[in-house]
Amino acid sequence: MRLRQRLEVGRRSCLAPAPWLRVRARVCACADLSGLGVRLIPERAAEVELGPAGKKYESPNVQIRSLLFCLSAKTFSAAMDEYSRFVDWDKMDATIQTQDSKELICTDFQEFKQLARQGCWAKNHSLRAKVYLKLIGNIPCRTVTPDANVYRDIVVKIIGKRNTGTLPLPEFVDNSLVPNYCLNAEGIGAVRKIICCIANQFPDISFCPALPSVVALLLHYSRDEAECFEMVCRILACNDPSKRLIDQTFLAFESSCMTFGDLVNKYCQAAHKLMVAVSEDVLEVYSDWQRWLFGELPLVYVARVFDVFLVEGYKVLYRIALALLKVFHKVRAGQPMESDNVQQDIRAFVRDIAKSVSPEKLLEKAFAIRLFSRKEIQLLHMANEKALQQKGITVKQKRQNVHLAVHAENFKSEIVSVKEMRDIWSWIPERFALCQPLLLFTTLEHGCSLNRFYSHSEGHEPTLLMIKTTAKEVCGAYLSTDWSERRRGGNKLSFFGTGECFVFRLQPEVERYEWVIIKHPELARTASEPGAKSTQVSTVLSSSSIPLEPSDRLSPFLAARHFNLPSKTASMFMAGSNECIIIGGGDGQALYLDADLNHGRTSHCNTFNNQPLCSENFQISTMEVWGFKDTMNV
């Protein structure tokens, strides 16, 4: 039977292709598949959509350029032999071995992205190999990037006659797991050989724990060691400032861990609360996030992640890790931990993820999370990186235990206990969790004066304001911006701050209210998105592409100007004058404090979509403002 299926748009005839086929009017510039047997056929005809039964839908007067990907049965069989050298097929999932004929036809990036998410090539080993080869081949790289010929020249000199199974790995993989991923004995040895040769060619790599997993995965889809080496080198040598692929320094890795912790704090609050409760150092738990993906996930799952990662970029990794944590919390909620080490529990859970969720469901959960834009995530990553640099943390060293930042020996408050302060500390951005709390102002010592509050608080960013009422209620706010910014409005009361601000209450019950846009991103589109072109695989910004502000400051993470907000009430974070302090606005105020710091009121407001934080009209018993010792200006 002839398996090759053709689509002849000009003649208005076709043989029914695969059910997912859709021919559109735009060409995917970023996902050029021409080298995979794809034929570019410019025609002037109607748009054609083909459903499961080959039904034809037409829209007149549309310029069509169709990409046709065809492999014959013989080609598939040959490809099967080509890409089987390192695979132990007896250990492979049967579904991956399917060799049904399939055409990959795509003329639009958004459609191509959906095909990747849906696993269009996930059940055809050879088709996935060809897609990987072309996508990685399209990565822009340094002028001199080691290729397959370099590997053939150096492998004998570097490896010699040593036993490949016991080859020591370079220090930069940080004793990472070297997953077998159903490789045969030759493949397992080849992973170590390739990593050693990469170390020889990339002396600037200082920390890259994900590398063994990436090499092992790509060996599945390589005809020989040299081809795998070249693909990995292209990923490592990417020089496009708008793309971020694999972390290669400890600074980049550690800031990605902090960024992941920030995202968990905002998007997985129930799981974050559990991590804080059961672990001594929640940052240590989140430092495992890349290991979950590149080490613990079974092959079927990590390959599906990699399918989408190559198309959409680094943000996909955050999504998958967040989804894993959500599933872990859902499955383990109310159950005792299997060990006294939550890190080990999560690792074991990820290894056995098939018991809880399929690869398709995991991806579905991941893409259901409404994350920040790539621009905002990159700004957050850069702020975390800058904080680490200013703390001198650029090489691997023991991380500050978050519980050491707030402990009984050096913390004393008239409003909250050590435990309550630790809970608040777990809510603040990771780059400030590196710091210790520093008492700046208290009404018990400095008096009930708004001017004294300003004089002691100005010059510190961020700050934590806490109030205890005469009814013993406790509430407060995390404020992202220096109070001196209030002067920019002259004598007029004006709002400032960023979307990192939040308000909270501790007594009578604990509740945190974040910026409304975080939980409801549909209320605003990011300013960078409306004009964005669909042909961009990734829109991650580099430090060189983000304009610097005065004093060489980064554009703040979650600055209101980055978003097209429906009204100003969505960004009324903080304001101050000689008469009052206001936190949150729009149809009410989350907190209003008078000039004597004696009376206040609280109500629902649009900025935080909060409930009243305490009695709606209250009298202040004690007020404290805390800064962050050794706070960096980030």
Side-chain angles (χ1 to χ4, degrees):
M1 181 178 69
R2 192 175 185 182
L3 296 176
R4 180 171 177 170
Q5 301 169 328
R6 295 195 52 140
L7 174 65
E8 299 176 279
V9 178
R11 299 181 184 179
R12 305 286 181 87
S13 66
C14 63
L15 298 177
W20 47 263
L21 173 64
R22 179 175 294 172
V23 180
R24 295 191 185 274
R26 284 183 289 172
V27 176
C28 173
C30 63
D32 176 18
L33 305 177
S34 57
L36 303 182
V38 174
R39 185 174 299 170
L40 184 63
I41 311 174
E43 298 276 0
R44 186 170 189 83
E47 176 171 315
V48 179
E49 285 191 3
L50 297 167
K55 185 177 180 181
K56 185 162 61 178
Y57 306 93
E58 299 184 3
S59 174
N61 302 320
V62 178
Q63 179 71 34
I64 294 294
R65 304 189 80 188
S66 63
L67 294 176
L68 179 61
F69 181 96
C70 296
L71 288 175
S72 68
K74 179 179 179 181
T75 305
F76 271 114
S77 176
M80 179 69 172
D81 293 336
E82 273 188 303
Y83 299 103
S84 293
R85 175 175 173 181
F86 303 108
V87 181
D88 185 340
W89 288 102
D90 293 335
K91 297 178 181 177
M92 288 282 284
D93 188 309
T95 60
I96 298 182
Q97 302 180 45
T98 304
Q99 293 299 307
D100 57 325
S101 64
K102 181 174 289 190
E103 294 178 345
L104 180 57
I105 305 177
C106 182
T107 60
D108 177 79
F109 173 65
Q110 293 301 322
E111 183 181 5
F112 186 65
K113 186 167 73 171
Q114 289 304 313
L115 294 178
R117 293 184 182 187
Q118 294 163 8
C120 172
W121 48 84
K123 293 186 178 181
N124 194 301
H125 194 83
S126 56
L127 182 58
R128 177 181 263 157
K130 290 179 177 294
V131 171
Y132 279 10
L133 185 65
K134 187 60 181 179
L135 289 177
I136 294 173
N138 282 344
I139 294 174
C141 295
R142 305 170 190 165
T143 304
V144 179
T145 298
D147 59 12
N149 289 328
V150 170
Y151 182 82
R152 297 184 185 103
D153 289 341
I154 66 175
V155 64
V156 175
K157 301 173 186 175
I158 293 173
I159 307 303
K161 296 182 179 180
R162 289 184 290 175
N163 182 350
T164 56
T166 58
L167 274 176
L169 294 178
E171 288 186 7
F172 65 66
V173 302
D174 192 42
N175 297 316
S176 298
L177 295 175
V178 181
N180 291 339
Y181 287 155
C182 304
L183 294 171
N184 56 27
E186 182 184 6
I188 294 170
V191 172
R192 291 179 174 269
K193 290 168 64 178
I194 292 169
I195 292 174
C196 289
C197 290
I198 288 172
N200 174 268
Q201 294 295 303
F202 288 84
D204 52 334
I205 296 179
S206 59
F207 196 80
C208 191
L211 187 61
S213 174
V214 173
V215 173
L217 175 65
L218 289 178
L219 261 180
H220 267 270
Y221 306 103
S222 303
R223 285 168 287 202
D224 55 30
E225 294 174 12
E227 185 175 79
C228 178
F229 171 85
E230 180 171 336
M231 285 198 289
V232 178
C233 287
R234 291 195 66 83
I235 291 173
L236 294 172
C238 174
N239 64 354
D240 184 344
S242 69
K243 294 183 190 291
R244 179 173 170 225
L245 297 175
I246 297 178
D247 296 328
Q248 299 174 43
T249 66
F250 182 75
L251 182 62
F253 172 82
E254 188 73 352
S255 56
S256 76
C257 294
M258 293 168 65
T259 301
F260 177 69
D262 286 324
L263 296 176
V264 174
N265 195 355
K266 295 188 181 299
Y267 294 102
C268 306
Q269 292 185 10
H272 182 64
K273 185 176 181 180
L274 175 64
M275 295 302 106
V276 172
V278 301
S279 62
E280 287 191 0
D281 186 355
V282 71
L283 293 180
E284 196 70 37
V285 176
Y286 296 151
S287 72
D288 250 10
W289 79 279
Q290 288 196 26
R291 176 173 174 151
W292 303 342
L293 306 180
F294 298 116
E296 305 295 356
L297 265 184
L299 171 63
V300 177
Y301 291 76
V302 74
R304 292 287 285 109
V305 172
F306 211 73
D307 290 346
V308 188
F309 167 69
L310 285 178
V311 176
E312 299 188 43
Y314 199 92
K315 185 178 175 181
V316 167
L317 304 183
Y318 286 132
R319 286 189 178 280
I320 300 296
L322 289 169
L324 286 170
L325 199 58
K326 279 180 173 284
V327 175
F328 174 80
H329 176 261
K330 181 178 179 180
V331 172
R332 295 292 176 83
Q335 299 179 14
M337 292 290 118
E338 294 184 357
S339 71
D340 57 359
N341 187 326
V342 69
Q343 267 187 299
Q344 297 298 333
D345 279 358
I346 297 176
R347 290 175 184 177
F349 178 82
V350 174
R351 284 195 295 272
D352 295 330
I353 190 66
K355 296 178 180 178
S356 303
V357 66
S358 67
E360 292 72 28
K361 282 293 183 184
L362 182 64
L363 284 171
E364 183 181 314
K365 287 179 179 294
F367 287 105
I369 301 171
R370 302 289 297 275
L371 275 183
F372 300 127
S373 69
R374 286 179 173 85
K375 172 185 175 181
E376 289 301 321
I377 291 177
Q378 183 67 357
L379 285 171
L380 177 58
H381 177 87
M382 291 165 64
N384 285 331
E385 193 170 275
K386 186 174 181 182
L388 289 168
Q389 287 175 319
Q390 293 186 346
K391 292 284 284 186
I393 303 174
T394 57
V395 296
K396 187 176 181 185
Q397 55 189 268
K398 185 174 177 57
R399 182 189 284 104
Q400 162 115 21
N401 186 313
V402 69
H403 278 49
L404 293 181
V406 184
H407 60 85
E409 285 78 9
N410 63 4
F411 176 77
K412 181 176 175 57
S413 168
E414 299 300 327
I415 297 179
V416 296
S417 66
V418 171
K419 180 185 181 304
E420 288 171 327
M421 193 62 159
R422 286 176 179 171
D423 288 339
I424 296 171
W425 224 247
S426 73
W427 297 337
I428 66 175
E430 296 288 2
R431 63 190 184 278
F432 298 116
L434 294 168
C435 308
Q436 294 184 349
L438 176 67
L439 184 61
L440 303 176
F441 172 84
T442 170
T443 53
L444 295 180
E445 179 181 344
H446 302 107
C448 298
S449 165
L450 193 52
N451 286 331
R452 290 178 191 168
F453 160 79
Y454 288 137
S455 66
H456 285 83
S457 300
E458 288 177 3
H460 295 271
E461 180 180 304
T463 53
L464 184 67
L465 184 151
M466 295 191 294
I467 296 167
K468 185 174 184 178
T469 72
T470 53
K472 300 190 182 304
E473 300 159 308
V474 176
C475 61
Y478 171 83
L479 304 168
S480 65
T481 307
D482 191 331
W483 278 104
S484 63
E485 289 289 310
R486 77 187 193 283
R487 297 198 188 96
R488 289 197 175 188
N491 295 324
K492 182 181 177 182
L493 186 71
S494 60
F495 283 89
F496 55 97
T498 73
E500 285 193 294
C501 294
F502 61 82
V503 295
F504 60 89
R505 64 167 176 252
L506 296 181
Q507 300 291 343
E509 67 274 337
V510 178
E511 192 68 53
R512 173 177 48 148
Y513 299 97
E514 295 190 287
W515 187 27
V516 65
I517 300 301
I518 292 174
K519 287 191 176 180
H520 300 283
E522 68 276 6
L523 296 178
R525 296 178 305 169
T526 57
S528 62
E529 287 177 349
K533 295 182 179 180
S534 62
T535 55
Q536 298 262 338
V537 172
S538 173
T539 57
V540 177
L541 299 182
S542 69
S543 56
S544 60
S545 63
I546 298 176
L548 295 179
E549 296 188 342
S551 303
D552 197 38
R553 293 181 59 192
L554 295 176
S555 180
F557 172 57
L558 294 188
R561 66 176 178 274
H562 298 167
F563 298 81
N564 293 327
L565 299 175
S567 69
K568 290 184 178 180
T569 63
S571 61
M572 292 180 170
F573 302 115
M574 52 193 292
S577 67
N578 293 329
E579 286 75 39
C580 66
I581 289 172
I582 298 175
I583 298 167
D587 295 334
Q589 295 149 350
L591 280 173
Y592 173 95
L593 307 179
D594 67 13
D596 296 326
L597 301 183
N598 188 22
H599 291 89
R601 59 178 181 263
T602 177
S603 64
H604 168 272
C605 77
N606 293 340
T607 301
F608 299 112
N609 192 28
N610 59 288
Q611 295 301 311
L613 303 179
C614 57
S615 302
E616 292 194 18
N617 292 283
F618 58 87
Q619 184 172 355
I620 299 172
S621 171
T622 307
M623 174 174 149
E624 294 177 349
V625 178
W626 292 81
F628 297 78
K629 191 175 182 180
D630 299 323
T631 298
M632 290 68 63
N633 191 17
V634 293

